[in-house]
Amino acid sequence: MFKTVFTLFRGTVAAAEEQLEDRTALVILDQQMRDAAAAVDRSKRTLALAIAGDQQEGRRLEATHARIADLEVRATAALEGGREDLAREAAQAIANLEAERDAAMTARTLFAAEITRLKRHVANAEARISELDRGRRLARASEAVRSLRRSGIEAERPYESTLPEAEATLKRLRERQMEAQAADEALFEIDAASGPLTIAEKLAEQGFGPRMKSTADDVLARLKAKRPPAA
């Protein structure tokens, strides 16, 4: 039992961690990309230092070559002038400069290899960061669309319940209006059938009292009465 409870606890913790990672995935990705960009910037600064060091060694090497060439000319002149002692001093200085020349050449070789490595590393890192940035934009767009869909569904739900209610209300209103109209018409018919005017018309039709409405015979008699007498 304890083992089951412990396993359930571990599963619950793992599920909570996964949910937290899902909710904060974009935030984590943003920070990871900032860290990666900072690392690339540091690599760029290291590359810049390597290039500067290589250039410095290059200038030193050029100066050393120039000094060696100058001392060789002077040492040769000293030998021709019978001053082997001065020529020997110049030869020693030349030997020292050649050691510096060799060191500078070795340094430039090392710098060249490091510069090549750093350039390849920076280019590869920048390409990967660009790919990650494109992926991040797509992820943000997908998340925004999903959020809009969730909002749209939540916004539609009230209408799903309100529209049928409104339609039912309109139906009830129309039914009441039709009932009221039918009642008014029936009341009018009742009033018309039992009113004083209707009773008077019934009595007139039976010959009790003057007629309430003119007939065709009445109209013809009136028209005949208006004609002038025949000559």
Side-chain angles (χ1 to χ4, degrees):
M1 182 65 182
F2 175 76
K3 183 178 180 181
T4 302
V5 173
F6 182 68
T7 303
L8 177 61
F9 173 75
R10 290 175 57 197
T12 303
V13 171
E17 290 178 352
E18 290 179 358
Q19 291 177 359
L20 179 61
E21 289 179 358
D22 289 341
R23 289 195 300 269
T24 59
L26 284 175
V27 177
I28 294 173
L29 178 60
D30 289 342
Q31 185 57 45
Q32 289 172 337
M33 290 190 63
R34 283 192 290 269
D35 293 341
V40 171
D41 288 339
R42 290 193 295 271
S43 296
K44 286 182 177 179
R45 287 194 293 271
T46 303
L47 174 60
L49 291 174
I51 292 174
D54 178 64
Q55 293 174 347
Q56 185 177 5
E57 290 296 335
R59 290 190 294 271
R60 183 180 291 112
L61 184 60
E62 290 177 0
T64 300
H65 279 303
R67 291 173 64 189
I68 289 172
D70 180 67
L71 284 174
E72 285 178 348
V73 171
R74 295 177 187 279
T76 300
L79 287 174
E80 292 175 354
R83 295 295 305 271
E84 186 174 347
D85 57 332
L86 293 177
R88 182 175 292 277
E89 290 182 9
Q92 183 60 50
I94 291 171
N96 293 336
L97 288 172
E98 287 177 345
E100 291 186 10
R101 178 199 63 194
D102 294 341
M105 292 176 65
T106 301
R108 292 209 71 186
T109 300
L110 294 175
F111 276 126
E114 184 64 10
I115 288 170
T116 300
R117 186 189 71 82
L118 286 172
K119 283 183 176 180
R120 184 169 56 249
H121 169 73
V122 169
N124 180 60
E126 287 182 334
R128 292 171 67 183
I129 287 177
S130 296
E131 182 67 23
L132 281 171
D133 186 60
R134 288 191 291 270
R136 178 177 61 175
R137 293 202 303 272
L138 290 175
R140 284 190 177 279
S142 298
E143 186 65 22
V145 169
R146 188 171 66 174
S147 178
L148 288 173
R149 285 178 179 174
R150 286 199 302 266
S151 300
I153 291 173
E154 292 175 357
E156 289 172 2
R157 286 175 182 170
Y159 293 102
E160 293 176 359
S161 60
T162 304
L163 285 175
E165 292 176 357
E167 291 169 350
T169 301
L170 178 60
K171 182 179 179 181
R172 290 194 301 271
L173 178 60
R174 287 178 175 174
E175 290 175 352
R176 287 198 298 270
Q177 289 175 342
M178 292 176 65
E179 291 174 357
Q181 183 178 357
D184 290 341
E185 292 176 353
L187 182 60
F188 177 78
E189 291 178 357
I190 292 172
D191 290 342
S194 59
L197 183 60
T198 302
I199 295 174
E201 289 178 350
K202 287 181 179 181
L203 291 171
E205 289 175 0
Q206 297 299 322
F208 301 108
R211 287 191 295 272
M212 302 295 295
K213 296 180 180 178
S214 298
T215 64
D217 293 336
D218 295 333
V219 174
L220 285 173
R222 186 172 66 252
L223 292 175
K224 289 178 180 180
K226 290 182 178 180
R227 287 190 305 173

